[in-house]
Amino acid sequence: MPTPCTHARLAALIWLHINLIFNGVRVPRARNALLDVPLKLPGMTHPAFIVDDLKALQHWLEAQGILITEGPHHIGPRRIALFIRDPDGNVLEFNQLV
């Protein structure tokens, strides 16, 4: 029996909606072919989003049981970032400009 879809809708600008599925079945040892193998392939590695409050997002992710795989940490002088992976191993990056 399918479970109800648990997702978050991120809206940026008026015309963009991104639905992230968080209750997908996690694939053991899932690997991203663009990031996790020695031979690098051409293509997009991951989407990156700018958020107003990275700490608030971090607390929300933790409350939802979503593992933060990297960060939050500074990337350069003006950006703090954290990373998560979806159940297939794909990376999502969230940034706050400081």
Side-chain angles (χ1 to χ4, degrees), residues 12 16 43-45 48 85:
L16 177 64
M44 183 181 85
T45 59
R85 287 197 179 219

Side-chain angles (χ1 to χ4, degrees), residues 32-35 40-48 89-93:
N32 181 313
L34 296 174
L35 293 173
K40 300 301 179 206
L41 302 173
M44 183 181 85
T45 59
H46 64 277
N90 298 306
V91 173
L92 298 168
E93 176 183 348

Side-chain angles (χ1 to χ4, degrees), residues 7-82:
H7 69 276
R9 176 171 280 172
L10 301 178
L13 305 176
I14 297 215
W15 49 269
L16 177 64
H17 290 272
I18 299 168
N19 294 300
L20 305 175
I21 307 300
F22 293 117
N23 68 336
V25 176
R26 195 165 292 282
V27 177
R29 295 175 299 284
R31 296 171 55 113
N32 181 313
L34 296 174
L35 293 173
D36 299 328
V37 295
L39 179 63
K40 300 301 179 206
L41 302 173
M44 183 181 85
T45 59
H46 64 277
F49 305 95
I50 296 173
V51 297
D52 291 331
D53 188 341
L54 196 63
K55 280 286 187 203
L57 175 64
Q58 179 182 357
H59 293 308
W60 183 84
L61 292 168
E62 291 167 349
Q64 301 302 312
I66 298 169
L67 178 66
I68 296 170
T69 56
E70 185 181 340
H73 58 78
H74 282 271
I75 297 179
R78 297 193 55 234
R79 186 167 57 130
I80 302 171
L82 68 78

